[in-house]
Amino acid sequence: GENVEQHPSTLSVQEGDSAVIKCTYSDSASNYFPWYKQELGKGPQLIIDIRSNVGEKKDQRIAVTLNKTAKHFSLHITETQPEDSAVYFCAASKGSSNTGKLIFGQGTTLQVKP
Amino acid sequence: GAVVSQHPSWVICKSGTSVKIECRSLDFQATTMFWYRQFPKQSLMLMATSNEGSKATYEQGVEKDKFLINHASLTLSTLTVTSAHPEDSSFYICSALGSSQGPDTQYFGPGTRLTVL
């Protein structure tokens, strides 16, 4: 079945530095790739997503890149701030025209040190 | 927009009792909702897919008679944990699919912390 691998499992950066989280998916039929931020005791919050017909998407300090050939996608956070500290999950889906199910990566705990 | 609520946010119950958790899409209609459980420091594990007006589809290894799902309207799905035991203690999260921001986008509720004594 579909599998999503996420690295690293933990990431510690200084405030102001950039953070990069990488994911690899196995099912070439996947066409939708969201990223979620989860704070302790809360539900995941969608922060950015990308579809397979796009190679890169940016929203202020957050960007996502997608390499369909290599089946890789990455989250880039620039100018990190302490409030960016959380667990980040990548996911892959074959879209709502299929089942709409998300396959999640294992998560990355990001710590931004002031 | 795209707000999903859950109730209750936390619940403590005795072993052997049943607990119902509600998931509502507040500002959009969701033909499909999903139920997940999450253990500490782990990823989200999909339990079942809930489609309005039809039976839920359960993931392999999830007991459908223990985790009853009802999706009676386009804005409400419920998960009932029947005859709860301590090993059912977990963080249960729902998500709703389909909003004006894209049919593929899942928006998650805030989660329900279940503790079974």
Side-chain angles (χ1 to χ4, degrees):
Chain A
E2 168 75 287
N3 185 48
V4 176
E5 295 288 332
Q6 182 172 347
H7 298 281
S9 57
T10 60
L11 180 58
S12 182
V13 299
Q14 286 296 134
E15 182 177 1
D17 288 349
S18 295
V20 180
I21 304 171
K22 298 182 179 182
C23 288
T24 303
Y25 61 99
S26 61
D27 192 337
S28 57
S30 296
N31 57 18
Y32 174 66
F33 308 92
W35 285 88
Y36 289 89
K37 174 184 180 183
Q38 187 179 29
E39 297 177 340
L40 193 62
K42 297 184 179 181
Q45 176 189 9
L46 179 71
I47 56 172
I48 195 166
D49 56 12
I50 191 168
R51 289 177 169 79
S52 58
N53 58 347
V54 176
E56 184 174 357
K57 183 177 179 180
K58 189 174 182 181
D59 182 5
Q60 299 183 344
R61 298 187 296 111
I62 295 173
V64 57
T65 58
L66 171 65
N67 182 330
K68 282 192 65 180
T69 303
K71 291 189 277 189
H72 290 170
F73 58 113
S74 300
L75 177 71
H76 305 254
I77 305 174
T78 59
E79 300 172 29
T80 53
Q81 302 167 1
E83 51 266 38
D84 294 329
S85 296
V87 180
Y88 290 81
F89 291 99
C90 64
S93 165
K94 288 186 271 192
S96 58
S97 59
N98 193 277
T99 64
K101 290 197 294 188
L102 290 174
I103 307 300
F104 280 90
Q106 297 86 346
T108 296
T109 301
L110 173 65
Q111 181 187 28
V112 180
K113 298 178 181 178
Chain B
V3 178
V4 177
S5 70
Q6 275 183 249
H7 178 80
S9 55
W10 59 271
V11 56
I12 301 172
C13 69
K14 293 183 178 180
S15 187
T17 61
S18 295
V19 174
K20 179 184 283 189
I21 303 169
E22 292 185 348
C23 176
R24 293 181 185 273
S25 56
L26 297 186
D27 52 1
F28 66 100
Q29 293 183 332
T31 55
T32 304
M33 291 184 174
F34 300 90
W35 287 95
Y36 298 81
R37 66 187 299 182
Q38 186 179 35
F39 293 107
K41 298 187 184 298
Q42 292 190 20
S43 189
L44 287 81
M45 184 191 81
L46 180 65
M47 300 175 66
T49 302
S50 169
N51 291 296
E52 187 265 338
S54 63
K55 291 184 178 180
T57 303
Y58 291 82
E59 295 299 301
Q60 192 173 7
V62 177
E63 300 175 60
K64 61 180 179 181
D65 294 331
K66 180 167 186 62
F67 298 100
L68 301 179
I69 292 172
N70 187 325
H71 193 160
S73 78
L74 287 173
T75 59
L76 174 64
S77 176
T78 61
L79 168 69
T80 301
V81 183
T82 62
S83 187
H85 291 285
E87 57 266 30
D88 298 322
S89 298
S90 189
F91 193 51
Y92 291 88
I93 316 172
C94 71
S95 71
L97 185 66
S99 74
S100 60
Q101 301 201 25
D104 301 328
T105 305
Q106 282 190 37
Y107 290 91
F108 284 80
T112 297
R113 174 76 57 193
L114 171 62
T115 302
V116 185
L117 301 177

